[in-house]
Amino acid sequence: MKTRDRILKSALVLFNEEGEPSVSTVDIANEVGISPGNLYYHFRGKEVLIEALFDSFEEEMHIVLEAPVAKPLSVEDNWLYLYVVFEEIYDFRFFYRNLSDLLQRYPQLARRFRDLLSLKERALGALLRELAGRDFIHLGEAEHVHLAERLTLFMTYWMNDRAVRHPEEDGPDLIHRGVFQMLLTIGAYVPEGREVFLTLVEGFYADIAAKKRR
């Protein structure tokens, strides 16, 4: 692995585990096993390093979020799709923790992050339209817009809520719980067989949790 890639990988791990404000470029250099001067040769300051990580995050999120917009997913694939989105967010979770503070300190990322939120909302809107088109859920046009916005809001801030109320949860637990809550929210709009759908969702989540405890 090239030194530049090692720096990015180590920085991402440290930012995710310790929080970006608590990590200095010296900490990252020590983690990689290089001198601060060598790190500076590749990234002239923490701001440049943050932007490089955001470039990777932005590229991956575009690939994921544009999928249901470009081509409708099957009903089954929609649930798997939610897992993929949550996993991508979790992999770069330091961007989402203390989001307002981070964007104030790195204002060059603010517009790009807003664009990602808009794309996230469009992707969720496309998912809901496909489910409505298959008569799986019933939504009025106003409800459609508001539900996509509400799901985007939840997907953006769910980690902060869980970190405050359940700091012991790790990655898989956070992701499973996030998808579970999204499915419960969508399930409220299932016109027929709602109880069956919600029971299946609850059973699915319980089964995953039981497997994890083994």
Side-chain angles (χ1 to χ4, degrees), residues 25 36-49:
T25 52
N38 195 347
L39 186 147
Y40 188 78
Y41 170 80
H42 294 278
F43 298 98
R44 302 202 169 193
K46 188 174 175 181
E47 181 175 338
V48 179
L49 207 162

Side-chain angles (χ1 to χ4, degrees), residues 72-75 78 125-135 144:
L73 304 174
S74 69
V75 172
N78 280 319
L127 183 152
L128 294 174
R129 278 193 299 276
E130 180 63 17
L131 293 177
R134 293 171 182 260
D135 211 31
H144 183 118

Side-chain angles (χ1 to χ4, degrees), residues 83 173 176-177 180 198-214:
Y83 267 97
D173 282 336
H176 295 327
R177 174 62 66 173
F180 176 60
L198 294 179
T199 299
L200 286 173
V201 170
E202 291 173 356
F204 174 67
Y205 179 77
D207 183 56
I208 289 177
K211 288 179 180 178
K212 188 175 183 305
R213 288 195 296 268
R214 292 173 189 168

Side-chain angles (χ1 to χ4, degrees), residues 21-192:
S22 302
V23 178
S24 68
T25 52
V26 174
D27 295 325
I28 298 169
N30 290 337
E31 182 69 20
V32 179
I34 61 176
S35 69
N38 195 347
L39 186 147
Y40 188 78
Y41 170 80
H42 294 278
F43 298 98
R44 302 202 169 193
K46 188 174 175 181
E47 181 175 338
V48 179
L49 207 162
I50 294 285
E51 285 196 59
L53 286 173
F54 192 85
D55 289 343
S56 298
F57 173 61
E58 186 178 50
E59 180 180 3
E60 292 185 24
M61 286 295 284
H62 268 274
I63 293 171
V64 171
L65 293 175
E66 287 171 356
V69 177
K71 182 179 180 180
L73 304 174
S74 69
V75 172
E76 296 80 7
D77 286 344
N78 280 319
W79 317 138
L80 298 176
Y81 175 76
L82 291 177
Y83 267 97
V84 173
V85 178
F86 273 92
E87 286 168 354
E88 288 291 343
I89 292 173
Y90 185 79
D91 287 345
F92 290 86
R93 57 194 175 275
F94 81 92
F95 282 121
Y96 285 79
R97 290 177 175 158
N98 302 316
L99 178 59
S100 296
D101 174 65
L102 185 141
L103 295 182
Q104 285 180 351
R105 288 185 291 108
Y106 303 102
Q108 71 276 17
L109 300 181
R111 179 191 56 78
R112 296 169 65 185
F113 200 93
R114 286 195 298 270
D115 289 343
L116 277 184
L117 291 181
S118 296
L119 182 56
K120 191 185 300 181
E121 190 169 331
R122 290 201 301 276
L124 291 169
L127 183 152
L128 294 174
R129 278 193 299 276
E130 180 63 17
L131 293 177
R134 293 171 182 260
D135 211 31
F136 187 82
I137 59 175
H138 284 182
L139 282 171
E141 187 57 36
E143 288 178 308
H144 183 118
V145 172
H146 294 315
L147 181 57
E149 183 178 2
R150 190 157 74 246
L151 293 176
T152 301
L153 180 66
F154 173 79
M155 191 175 275
T156 302
Y157 292 103
W158 111 93
M159 276 194 305
N160 293 331
D161 173 75
R162 302 306 292 180
V164 171
R165 296 196 292 151
H166 300 280
E168 74 286 354
E169 285 186 338
D170 63 8
D173 282 336
L174 277 171
I175 293 168
H176 295 327
R177 174 62 66 173
V179 174
F180 176 60
Q181 293 295 338
M182 294 276 280
L183 293 180
L184 288 183
T185 302
I186 294 171
Y189 296 87
V190 176
E192 297 179 5

